[in-house]
Amino acid sequence: RAVTPSPTKAHPSADRVRPLRGPAISLGCSYLVAIVMLGPLLGSTADASTAFAEHFDDAVNRRRDVLGSLALLVTAATLVWTAVTARQQTTGHPHRSTRDLSTIASTVTASALVTASGLLMTVPLSSSIGELTDDPGIDVGVQAGIAQAGTVMLLVAALSLAVTAVLLARLGRQAHAIPRWISATAWVTAATLALGVSIVLLVPFAAWIIALGLTWSSEASPPTRASG
């Protein structure tokens, strides 16, 4: 005998959507790739100029640095994508200040990431071009200065990213879009970013932002009907 399905239970998955799944997973993956690829260069921040010269003399290291810098650019773009999506999904909730602050923080962070990417890409890219054109390239002392400036800029971006993570978590909790444990672990993630003197401490953010994307749920928008 045929049973008529209940209109409220026929399609339960249609009532909730995961709007941040795509942007947040993209952000986590690109961020992780950037940190892993740039790891050897970032770990040489306090070393002497000769250590940087040895690093950039290796073609494999230069390729890693360029790929990692490009991944930072993708990270900047996907961070803004994630923040804008979160803002759009919470438009109907009375938390305008948190929405605005999270958008501003993500924009500042993305700008810092783009700047860090350009600095970290300068030496490996120019050295690779110099090998092809037989140009002397950048002086060893200047190489170290540019790479160190890029690393410092990345640490500044990490501090701004810590603020962005807390604001996104707060926005999600205010909209009842994420579970409480995501909001709680946002503070732990922010602390690791703020103490990111070690490359290992920068990695947890990738796992946290992916978890945010997988757990953030919003009610599906009902179809609009023309009035009149």
Coordinates of all heavy atoms in Angstrom, one line a residue, residues 76 79-80 103-115 153 156-165:
A76 N 44.3 34.1 -0.2 CA 43.7 35.5 0.0 C 42.4 35.5 -0.7 O 41.4 36.1 -0.1 CB 44.7 36.5 -0.6
L79 N 39.8 33.4 1.1 CA 39.4 33.9 2.4 C 38.3 35.0 2.3 O 37.3 35.0 3.0 CB 40.6 34.5 3.1 CG 40.4 35.3 4.4 CD1 39.8 34.3 5.5 CD2 41.6 36.0 4.9
V80 N 38.5 35.8 1.3 CA 37.4 36.8 1.0 C 36.1 36.2 0.6 O 35.0 36.5 1.0 CB 37.9 37.8 0.0 CG1 36.8 38.8 -0.4 CG2 39.1 38.6 0.5
T103 N 34.1 41.0 7.8 CA 34.4 41.3 6.4 C 35.6 42.2 6.3 O 36.5 42.0 5.5 CB 33.2 42.0 5.7 OG1 32.1 41.2 5.8 CG2 33.5 42.3 4.2
I104 N 35.7 43.2 7.2 CA 36.9 44.1 7.2 C 38.1 43.3 7.6 O 39.2 43.5 7.0 CB 36.6 45.2 8.3 CG1 35.5 46.1 7.8 CG2 37.9 46.0 8.5 CD1 35.1 47.2 8.8
A105 N 38.1 42.4 8.6 CA 39.2 41.7 9.0 C 39.7 40.7 7.9 O 40.9 40.6 7.7 CB 38.9 40.8 10.3
S106 N 38.8 40.1 7.2 CA 39.2 39.2 6.1 C 39.8 40.0 5.0 O 40.8 39.5 4.4 CB 38.0 38.4 5.6 OG 37.0 39.3 5.0
T107 N 39.4 41.2 4.7 CA 39.9 42.0 3.7 C 41.4 42.5 4.0 O 42.3 42.4 3.2 CB 39.1 43.3 3.4 OG1 37.7 42.8 3.1 CG2 39.6 44.1 2.2
V108 N 41.5 42.9 5.3 CA 42.9 43.3 5.8 C 43.8 42.1 5.7 O 45.0 42.2 5.3 CB 42.8 43.8 7.2 CG1 44.2 44.0 7.8 CG2 42.0 45.1 7.2
T109 N 43.3 40.9 6.1 CA 44.2 39.7 6.1 C 44.6 39.3 4.7 O 45.7 39.0 4.4 CB 43.4 38.5 6.7 OG1 43.0 38.9 8.0 CG2 44.3 37.3 6.8
A110 N 43.6 39.4 3.7 CA 43.9 39.1 2.3 C 44.9 40.1 1.8 O 45.8 39.6 1.0 CB 42.6 39.2 1.5
S111 N 44.8 41.3 2.1 CA 45.8 42.3 1.6 C 47.2 42.0 2.2 O 48.2 42.0 1.4 CB 45.4 43.7 2.1 OG 44.1 44.1 1.6
A112 N 47.3 41.6 3.4 CA 48.6 41.2 4.0 C 49.1 39.9 3.3 O 50.3 39.8 3.1 CB 48.5 41.0 5.5
L113 N 48.3 39.0 3.0 CA 48.7 37.7 2.4 C 49.2 38.0 1.0 O 50.2 37.4 0.5 CB 47.5 36.8 2.3 CG 47.1 36.1 3.6 CD1 45.8 35.3 3.4 CD2 48.2 35.2 4.1
V114 N 48.5 38.9 0.3 CA 49.0 39.3 -1.1 C 50.4 39.9 -1.0 O 51.3 39.7 -1.8 CB 48.0 40.2 -1.8 CG1 48.5 40.8 -3.1 CG2 46.7 39.4 -2.1
T115 N 50.6 40.8 -0.1 CA 51.9 41.5 0.1 C 52.9 40.5 0.5 O 54.1 40.5 -0.1 CB 51.8 42.6 1.2 OG1 50.7 43.5 0.9 CG2 53.1 43.3 1.3
M153 N 55.8 39.8 7.1 CA 54.4 40.2 6.6 C 53.5 39.0 6.7 O 52.3 39.2 7.0 CB 54.6 40.6 5.1 CG 53.4 41.4 4.6 SD 53.3 43.0 5.5 CE 51.5 43.3 5.5
V156 N 52.3 39.0 10.3 CA 51.3 40.0 10.5 C 49.9 39.5 9.9 O 48.9 39.7 10.6 CB 51.7 41.3 9.8 CG1 50.5 42.3 9.8 CG2 52.9 41.9 10.4
A157 N 50.0 38.8 8.8 CA 48.7 38.3 8.2 C 48.2 37.2 9.2 O 46.9 37.1 9.3 CB 49.0 37.7 6.8
A158 N 49.0 36.4 9.8 CA 48.6 35.4 10.7 C 47.8 36.0 11.9 O 46.8 35.5 12.4 CB 49.7 34.5 11.2
L159 N 48.3 37.1 12.4 CA 47.7 37.8 13.5 C 46.3 38.3 13.1 O 45.3 38.2 13.8 CB 48.5 39.0 14.0 CG 49.8 38.7 14.7 CD1 50.6 39.9 15.0 CD2 49.6 37.9 15.9
S160 N 46.2 38.9 11.9 CA 44.9 39.3 11.4 C 44.0 38.1 11.1 O 42.8 38.2 11.3 CB 45.1 40.1 10.1 OG 43.9 40.6 9.6
L161 N 44.6 37.0 10.7 CA 43.8 35.8 10.4 C 43.2 35.3 11.7 O 42.1 34.7 11.7 CB 44.7 34.8 9.7 CG 44.0 33.5 9.2 CD1 42.9 33.9 8.2 CD2 45.0 32.5 8.6
A162 N 43.9 35.4 12.8 CA 43.4 35.0 14.1 C 42.2 35.7 14.5 O 41.2 35.2 14.9 CB 44.5 35.2 15.2
V163 N 42.2 37.1 14.3 CA 41.0 37.9 14.5 C 39.8 37.5 13.6 O 38.7 37.4 14.1 CB 41.4 39.4 14.4 CG1 40.1 40.2 14.6 CG2 42.5 39.8 15.3
T164 N 40.2 37.2 12.3 CA 39.1 36.9 11.4 C 38.4 35.5 11.8 O 37.2 35.4 11.7 CB 39.7 36.7 10.0 OG1 40.4 37.9 9.6 CG2 38.6 36.4 9.0
A165 N 39.2 34.6 12.3 CA 38.7 33.3 12.7 C 37.7 33.4 13.8 O 36.6 32.9 13.8 CB 39.8 32.3 13.0

